[in-house]
């Protein structure tokens, strides 16, 4: 049972990392381009462990940024209340991401190849069934069911509930944005930096979420590592194309080029 719990916790943690680095920063906001192998490993894992098709998830998140805290925001605690978003954020997110009009309008430039349309979108729940089968095959029925439950709760609560709920209700603000986004206490090892939500809403195209000395962004550390070995490129920080090893690396010097964030619709 202990091995099943540990494996489930690691799997849930990796799902959050993939959501943050691939689905969120790379696909939804185009803040970084990942090597195709890295991108598809993360893309497959998200389908396998969360039942999330990348284009649908990206479209739903982009709509959240366009209508943050407004009536059309898919999962705002200002609109729905914190308890509903915290405990049911995954279902609010899923409901929005299944709307054809949302995908058509906000899913541009998201993966739209054969495997996305015919496997990940058409059979989105198959990934979850396969994960359950693998858990039971490896750990047995009882431990496998426990592992499966931990993985599901880990992602649905931490990603959909905690960030989208608490991240718009409680915490501190570095920036005066036009919505209620907050930075939560630094827990980046668990949430991969996603808890720095106010920073993200101020600079949506920034692949780096940490802005203060005491803030740690695990997702950014992973991206820097991938960049160092040639597996990530076209990285943006505060809407600036990032150049490692220069003054811009610390954001204390002028950028060679400042580019507007691409339209999310």
């Amino acid at each position: 049972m202990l091995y099943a719990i540990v494996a489930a916790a690691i799997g849930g943690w990796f799902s959050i990392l993939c959501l943050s680095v691939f689905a969120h920063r790379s696909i939804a906001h185009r803040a970084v381009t990942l090597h195709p192998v890295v991108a598809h490993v993360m893309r497959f894992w998200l389908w396998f462990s969360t039942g999330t098709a990348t284009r649908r998830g990206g479209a739903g998140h982009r709509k959240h940024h366009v209508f943050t805290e407004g009536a059309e925001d898919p999962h705002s605690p200002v609109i729905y209340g914190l308890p509903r978003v915290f405990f049911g954020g995954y279902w609010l997110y899923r409901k929005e991401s299944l709307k054809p009009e949302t995908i058509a309008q906000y899913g541009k430039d998201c993966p739209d190849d054969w495997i996305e349309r015919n496997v990940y979108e058409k059979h989105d729940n198959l990934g979850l069934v396969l994960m359950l089968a693998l858990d039971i095959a490896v750990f047995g029925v009882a431990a496998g069911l426990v592992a499966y439950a931990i993985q599901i709760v880990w992602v649905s609560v931490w990603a959909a509930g905690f960030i989208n709920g608490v991240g718009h209700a409680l915490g501190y603000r570095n920036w005066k944005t036009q919505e209620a986004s907050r930075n939560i206490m630094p827990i980046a090892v668990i949430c991969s930096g996603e808890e720095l939500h106010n920073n993200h809403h101020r600079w949506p195209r920034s692949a780096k979420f940490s802005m203060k000395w005491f803030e740690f962004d695990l997702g950014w550390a992973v991206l820097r590592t991938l960049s160092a070995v040639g597996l990530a490129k076209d990285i943006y920080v505060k809407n600036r194309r990032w150049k490692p090893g220069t003054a811009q690396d610390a954001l204390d010097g002028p950028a060679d080029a400042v580019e507007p964030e691409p339209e999310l619709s």
Side-chain angles (χ1 to χ4, degrees):
M1 181 66 76
L2 178 60
Y3 291 119
I5 293 173
V6 172
I10 293 173
W13 168 83
F14 186 63
S15 296
I16 298 292
L17 182 66
C18 291
L19 279 168
S20 180
V21 171
F22 168 67
H24 192 190
R25 308 184 205 210
S26 180
I27 298 301
H29 292 288
R30 285 167 277 178
V32 57
T33 300
L34 298 174
H35 187 279
V37 173
V38 175
H40 201 86
V41 166
M42 292 186 172
R43 184 179 168 195
F44 167 80
W45 182 261
L46 289 175
W47 171 77
F48 177 73
S49 65
T50 71
T52 300
T54 300
R55 181 170 62 158
R56 290 177 181 172
H61 182 71
R62 288 173 177 177
K63 186 171 181 178
H64 161 67
H65 272 267
V66 172
F67 297 104
T68 310
E69 258 67 276
E72 294 190 62
D73 187 335
H75 45 67
S76 169
V78 174
I79 304 298
Y80 296 103
L82 181 57
R84 183 178 178 186
V85 175
F86 186 85
F87 293 105
Y90 171 81
W91 299 108
L92 290 171
Y93 208 106
R94 181 173 175 81
K95 178 182 178 181
E96 185 64 42
S97 67
L98 290 175
K99 294 179 179 178
E101 61 272 21
T102 297
I103 299 173
Q105 183 171 359
Y106 299 103
K108 299 174 183 178
D109 300 322
C110 293
D112 188 23
D113 53 12
W114 183 91
I115 194 170
E116 184 73 16
R117 295 190 303 271
N118 294 281
V119 179
Y120 295 154
E121 289 186 350
K122 191 175 182 179
H123 304 288
D124 54 348
N125 288 323
L126 177 60
L128 294 174
V129 173
L130 293 175
M131 184 177 71
L132 174 60
L134 180 63
D135 284 337
I136 292 175
V138 173
F139 301 114
V141 175
L145 289 173
V146 170
Y148 182 77
I150 290 173
Q151 289 168 308
I152 295 297
V153 171
W154 189 291
V155 175
S156 63
V157 171
W158 280 114
F162 189 71
I163 302 303
N164 292 325
V166 177
H168 282 266
L170 304 172
Y172 67 96
R173 287 166 63 86
N174 289 333
W175 312 95
K176 292 182 179 179
T177 55
Q178 294 181 346
E179 25 61 35
S181 62
R182 299 287 192 275
N183 294 324
I184 312 165
M185 58 180 291
I187 46 175
V189 173
I190 297 176
C191 288
S192 298
E194 292 291 320
E195 79 281 1
L196 300 171
H197 207 56
N198 175 243
N199 295 349
H200 168 60
H201 269 269
R202 174 61 182 86
W203 302 100
R205 202 183 189 188
S206 182
K208 179 183 180 184
F209 292 173
S210 56
M211 300 294 170
K212 300 292 187 180
W213 67 267
F214 58 87
E215 298 170 344
F216 175 65
D217 178 2
L218 180 63
W220 174 243
V222 170
L223 283 174
R224 291 198 62 160
T225 302
L226 291 174
S227 174
V229 296
L231 297 178
K233 63 180 182 179
D234 300 329
I235 300 175
Y236 287 80
V237 175
K238 288 187 175 180
N239 285 28
R240 304 172 180 180
R241 191 177 291 271
W242 178 66
K243 291 186 177 183
T246 66
Q248 187 188 355
D249 189 20
L251 294 180
D252 55 4
D256 293 335
V258 178
E259 303 180 21
E261 183 180 358
E263 293 292 331
L264 296 181
S265 60

